Amino acid sequence: MKIVMVASESRPYCKTGGLADVVYSLSKELANVNEDVSIIIPYYSSINVEAELVYNLPLKMAWRTPRALVYKVVSEGITYYLVKNDQYFARGHLYGDFDDGERFAFLTLAAKAIMEQFKKAPDIVHVHDWQAGMLPCLIKEDKNNKFFSKTKFVGTIHNPAFQGLFSKIILGDLYNLPDTLYDNGQVRFKDQVSTLKTMIVYSDLITTVSPTHHLELLTPEGSMGLNDVLRLREFDFVGILNGIDYKEFNPSDDKNIEMNFNSSNIIKGKKANKLALLKQFNLKDETAPIFSLVTRITWQKGFDLVFPAVEELVNKGCNIIMLGSGEYDYEQRWEDLRRKYPDHIGIYIGYNDALAHKIYAGSDFFLMPSLFEPCGLGQMIAQRYGTLPIVRRTGGLKDSVINYDGNNSETSNGFGFDEYSNYEMNRTCWYAYSVYKKKALLHKLSKNAFNTDNSWVKSMNEYRKVYLSLLKRK
Ligand code: GLC
């Protein structure tokens, strides 16, 4: 199969969140089973790679003709097409500008033009999130163009909170599409154009990143208003749980951590990593557990529950370590907490891969009480390092963490609660702390977490099945 992914970010070149991991890992696994996979992403100025200029494409965007310089690089069996235009992508950051609508319209137009240079159209075009959401529409509305007549489109929702809402003007002014698509409702959502809704309407199949989030997206509470649109596509909509990259996150061969370990020396290994981590953050009490977070600092991640729980835990003598960056107010609250409890709280505001690995490896518990979480990767990475996640059971957190309920020490690999409340959060942290004191039980659960299979192979096979089933359709 010839498969082309289109997204706004992908490892190893650019990343702000889980999207970049998923686009990359899924592609890599598909390439491993000999599928022909390409990824089209912007060539942001932060990307530093030797790539070859292969196309120089003038794109028609209503009254202007911006150019896409397309660079190609092949890595780990994946062909990347990096779309360069410094006016759009040399900003020093990926998102958050007033003209994001135009920047990603440009990426979408470029993706179509790049594929039109191929000898044969792709079998599958797989678009991710709002940034690439208009592509199926753009191609299907180009009615005289027969090049893509056999191509099938898959659209994945990684985060329903970002709906790509823009004024109706973007249709004609950026995408060269007629206003009738707005007037007849195809692309209209909340009285604007939504590129995410358009992806849902025009893709042959829609996926999201966990089975539970699939169900949530069909309800008014869990879908940020997308439920009615998704109901219309209910029979072409599935949830596939993400995996994590088992090569990148591998405690037995991880250059970033103090001591490598596997299932036979996990207890010793975790101890050594914990001591190194405490030292790095200048925390004193080796006997107390470490509760950690590695996260984007944003309301989605449940910080309203985290802050009171942190104070409770610190008052019990526990250690807290947080790495992340994001919303200013929350960052300041972390700074305040650290100043208040310097012997118990260590924070790193920013993005730091190597340090993140150390935290996953050296912690006892990993906090992820998200308000909503389509999939979540942190909890799976924690498990891979034998660290027990404490999660709110929403979306993929529910699908990947088996709560310890006092009777299931054979199968449990973490802790979970349902209600988004301080009471439930504090209760669950307290319970985890009580388990920490029963060393044999703690080690058993930690081993269960370590042995959980969160690898991509399983998920990749599900995507592959989906692609193949689409190709059988007329
Ligand atoms: C988004 C979601 C997260 C998911 C990731 C990858 O960042 O918020 O839950 O794991 O996409 O699919």
Side-chain angles (χ1 to χ4, degrees):
M1 262 181 294
K2 187 172 175 61
I3 303 157
V4 176
M5 307 272 175
V6 186
S8 55
E9 52 182 273
S10 170
R11 277 187 49 223
Y13 302 118
C14 45
K15 166 171 167 173
T16 68
L19 170 64
D21 295 303
V22 173
V23 172
Y24 164 73
S25 302
L26 171 59
S27 302
K28 199 168 68 169
E29 293 298 337
L30 286 163
N32 278 345
V33 291
N34 292 323
E35 300 295 2
D36 171 356
V37 196
S38 305
I39 300 178
I40 300 177
I41 47 171
Y43 200 156
Y44 299 107
S45 44
S46 52
I47 297 179
N48 195 354
V49 61
E50 286 229 352
E52 177 198 358
L53 177 64
V54 286
Y55 310 120
N56 179 341
L57 307 169
L59 303 178
K60 177 178 151 38
M61 198 189 248
W63 46 271
R64 49 216 177 290
T65 323
R67 257 173 204 280
L69 300 178
V70 183
Y71 288 77
K72 176 174 156 179
V73 55
V74 180
S75 163
E76 297 177 279
I78 305 166
T79 304
Y80 291 84
Y81 291 97
L82 306 171
V83 179
K84 190 170 165 84
N85 179 310
D86 284 349
Q87 194 192 335
Y88 291 126
F89 300 129
R91 304 270 173 106
H93 50 257
L94 270 57
Y95 316 112
D97 289 338
F98 75 100
D99 59 347
D100 279 0
E102 179 170 338
R103 298 169 66 221
F104 293 103
F106 175 79
L107 175 72
T108 308
L109 294 167
K112 178 168 182 276
I114 291 169
M115 294 189 283
E116 283 168 348
Q117 307 299 311
F118 298 168
K119 283 202 194 77
K120 189 177 158 281
D123 298 301
I124 300 288
V125 171
H126 188 159
V127 301
H128 298 264
D129 274 354
W130 73 266
Q131 293 92 344
M134 292 300 283
L135 187 57
C137 168
L138 194 67
I139 293 177
K140 287 185 178 177
E141 289 297 335
D142 187 5
K143 299 238 160 74
N144 298 322
N145 183 341
K146 296 283 172 264
F147 184 69
F148 294 100
S149 57
K150 295 224 167 70
T151 301
K152 298 290 181 205
F153 296 88
V154 177
T156 295
I157 304 170
H158 294 263
N159 199 330
F162 301 111
Q163 305 184 336
L165 289 166
F166 300 100
S167 143
K168 139 184 189 184
I169 293 166
I170 71 161
L171 280 181
D173 198 47
L174 302 178
Y175 289 99
N176 317 305
L177 289 166
D179 278 358
T180 45
L181 299 181
Y182 183 86
D183 300 333
N184 70 16
Q186 296 274 90
V187 305
R188 188 181 354 146
F189 190 60
K190 300 179 181 167
D191 288 334
Q192 285 181 285
V193 170
S194 161
T195 63
L196 189 70
K197 175 200 163 163
T198 306
M199 179 183 97
I200 295 169
V201 171
Y202 279 87
S203 295
D204 297 293
L205 197 115
I206 304 112
T207 76
T208 190
V209 287
S210 70
T212 296
H213 195 55
H214 168 234
L215 297 177
E216 289 167 351
L217 283 177
L218 293 168
T219 67
E221 300 79 29
S223 69
M224 322 255 168
L226 289 166
N227 58 309
D228 285 337
V229 185
L230 282 163
R231 276 260 173 237
L232 298 172
R233 301 299 318 276
E234 198 170 1
F235 299 106
D236 293 317
F237 179 35
V238 296
I240 302 176
L241 192 66
N242 291 329
I244 54 165
D245 187 334
Y246 264 36
K247 237 168 112 188
E248 186 191 358
F249 301 108
N250 181 2
S252 67
D253 174 40
D254 185 333
K255 305 280 172 292
N256 301 301
I257 65 178
E258 179 73 15
M259 179 182 160
N260 290 128
F261 61 90
N262 53 38
S263 64
S264 64
N265 63 350
I266 177 171
I267 296 169
K268 205 168 148 216
K270 283 201 67 69
K271 179 93 198 183
N273 286 305
K274 179 172 176 175
L275 293 179
L277 187 60
L278 288 170
K279 201 159 155 219
Q280 175 142 18
F281 281 95
N282 211 6
L283 304 181
K284 307 271 166 358
D285 189 352
E286 292 174 11
T287 59
I290 301 179
F291 291 74
S292 67
L293 302 96
V294 175
T295 181
R296 280 187 289 129
I297 303 183
T298 167
W299 59 279
Q300 179 195 335
K301 302 293 178 180
F303 281 99
D304 301 323
L305 303 191
V306 169
F307 290 119
V310 162
E311 296 232 24
E312 288 245 338
L313 288 168
V314 167
N315 288 331
K316 288 196 183 81
C318 301
N319 299 302
I320 311 287
I321 291 177
M322 192 285 309
L323 178 152
S325 62
E327 289 161 24
Y328 180 79
D329 284 358
Y330 285 142
E331 288 184 358
Q332 292 310 305
R333 282 180 75 177
W334 276 111
E335 296 280 9
D336 291 345
L337 276 173
R338 176 174 51 183
R339 271 192 290 273
K340 197 164 161 194
Y341 306 108
D343 292 343
H344 290 278
I345 297 185
I347 65 173
Y348 180 98
I349 305 274
Y351 180 76
N352 184 331
D353 248 349
L355 186 56
H357 284 233
K358 292 185 177 53
I359 295 174
Y360 284 118
S363 305
D364 299 289
F365 302 104
F366 186 79
L367 297 176
M368 210 164 163
S370 302
L371 181 58
F372 73 97
E373 197 64 76
C375 178
L377 302 173
Q379 81 281 16
M380 299 190 201
I381 303 171
Q383 286 171 338
R384 176 91 165 126
Y385 287 84
T387 298
L388 295 171
I390 297 176
V391 305
R392 190 173 91 81
R393 292 198 295 185
T394 176
L397 296 172
K398 186 168 177 179
D399 296 324
S400 52
V401 175
I402 303 171
N403 173 46
Y404 178 61
D405 63 9
N407 293 308
N408 58 351
S409 60
E410 285 310 309
T411 51
S412 163
N413 56 14
F415 297 87
F417 59 94
D418 293 306
E419 190 186 277
Y420 190 80
S421 70
N422 293 117
Y423 174 79
E424 282 295 299
M425 172 75 177
N426 292 351
R427 183 191 59 75
T428 312
C429 290
W430 171 84
Y431 191 46
Y433 182 47
S434 72
V435 166
Y436 177 77
K437 293 183 184 152
K438 300 177 190 153
K439 286 292 177 268
L441 176 59
L442 179 76
H443 293 152
K444 176 72 186 99
L445 299 185
S446 166
K447 273 192 187 166
N448 293 348
F450 177 88
N451 288 325
T452 306
D453 181 5
N454 291 317
S455 69
W456 254 104
V457 182
K458 229 171 23 180
S459 324
M460 179 276 288
N461 278 320
E462 284 188 56
Y463 276 103
R464 203 165 175 226
K465 251 189 249 157
V466 159
Y467 296 158
L468 287 167
S469 74
L470 279 179
L471 295 185
K472 287 194 195 119
R473 283 193 200 170
K474 276 268 148 32

